[in-house]
Amino acid sequence: DAKTTQPPSMDCAEGRAANLPCNHSTISGNEYVYWYRQIHSQGPQYIIHGLKNNETNEMASLIITEDRKSSTLILPHATLRDTAVYYCIVRGGGGFKTIFGAGTRLFVKA
Amino acid sequence: GAVVSQHPSRVICKSGTSVKIECRSLDFQATTMFWYRQFPKQSLMLMATSNEGSKATYEQGVEKDKFLINHASLTLSTLTVTSAHPEDSSFYICSANDQAATGELFFGEGSRLTVL
């Protein structure tokens, strides 16, 4: 079973920040939080991952709470092309299998 | 970033035939690859873990004789859907770990199988 829970859908206005929450209350000390997104009929695309510190890259920022039981993916300036299903995943490093939850369907509206 | 390539991207076959889908890691070696299937408007469901040089590990409820997995090299894993039926029509996706780098999991573009 997936170890994360996410809201099924969210809306965001184009140009505004999209904040996608994820709960992972049973995360283990050696497990990372990964975020992927999937645009219709394509394979999932890696966005960002982190262990306990906040992370930022060219696509997004990842904010992990101090107790690591939840996190938020931030798309700072959402565009229409960011409309996708976003998956928050908890997994260990290396060859551990990855179980997907239902994800959040983000709709970016003009 | 690392690239995982799947082939074919789309395949249509007749019921009763077998179909092979290839998954290649193009610029890194992957001792472990994963196979998923996805039905419309649903999430990815893990089918099996493909291990280079050994037998694949199948998830509960996935028929190993139906979905044959071969991981003969560090850059190639294949999934063969044997004696395909219309209910096997789905989007099949593979992924591979770039363990030498950051441990990120990269996904292929997916293969859409339609069984007539």
Side-chain angles (χ1 to χ4, degrees):
Chain A
D1 290 344
K3 301 177 69 173
T4 61
T5 55
Q6 299 175 251
S9 66
M10 294 182 64
D11 290 345
C12 177
E14 187 179 20
R16 305 296 294 268
N19 298 286
L20 291 86
C22 179
N23 289 321
H24 32 79
S25 58
T26 60
I27 190 170
S28 300
N30 63 345
E31 290 181 317
Y32 290 75
V33 179
Y34 281 79
W35 282 85
Y36 291 85
R37 72 180 182 184
Q38 186 179 27
I39 297 171
H40 181 63
S41 294
Q42 297 182 22
Q45 176 190 22
Y46 167 81
I47 301 173
I48 199 168
H49 76 284
L51 184 61
K52 54 183 179 181
N53 297 323
N54 297 336
E55 302 288 344
T56 296
N57 62 22
E58 64 278 5
M59 290 183 68
S61 294
L62 173 61
I63 308 297
I64 303 174
T65 58
E66 192 169 343
D67 63 8
R68 303 211 318 128
K69 291 185 177 182
S70 65
S71 60
T72 301
L73 178 74
I74 301 172
L75 306 178
H77 305 287
T79 70
L80 298 179
R81 287 178 293 182
D82 292 323
T83 293
V85 179
Y86 287 77
Y87 295 100
C88 168
I89 294 159
V90 165
R91 63 187 288 259
F96 292 94
K97 62 184 182 183
T98 299
I99 305 298
F100 282 76
T104 296
R105 189 172 295 273
L106 175 68
F107 296 95
V108 180
K109 300 181 177 180
Chain B
V3 177
V4 174
S5 179
Q6 278 185 246
H7 177 80
S9 57
R10 292 179 179 271
V11 56
I12 300 173
C13 70
K14 294 181 179 180
S15 186
T17 62
S18 295
V19 175
K20 180 185 288 187
I21 300 170
E22 294 185 347
C23 178
R24 294 182 184 274
S25 56
L26 296 185
D27 53 2
F28 66 98
Q29 295 183 330
T31 55
T32 304
M33 293 184 176
F34 304 93
W35 286 95
Y36 296 82
R37 68 186 299 181
Q38 185 177 33
F39 293 108
K41 297 187 177 182
Q42 294 187 23
S43 185
L44 286 76
M45 183 193 79
L46 180 65
M47 299 175 66
T49 301
S50 172
N51 304 298
E52 188 268 335
S54 65
K55 292 183 178 180
T57 304
Y58 291 82
E59 295 299 303
Q60 188 174 7
V62 178
E63 301 176 58
K64 61 181 181 181
D65 295 329
K66 172 75 171 176
F67 299 99
L68 300 179
I69 291 173
N70 183 276
H71 194 154
S73 77
L74 288 172
T75 59
L76 174 64
S77 175
T78 60
L79 169 69
T80 301
V81 182
T82 63
S83 186
H85 289 94
E87 57 265 30
D88 297 325
S89 298
S90 187
F91 194 51
Y92 292 88
I93 305 169
C94 73
S95 66
N97 264 110
D98 186 2
Q99 293 178 248
T102 62
E104 294 172 23
L105 191 64
F106 294 94
F107 288 82
E109 313 94 324
S111 300
R112 185 163 300 282
L113 170 64
T114 302
V115 184
L116 301 177

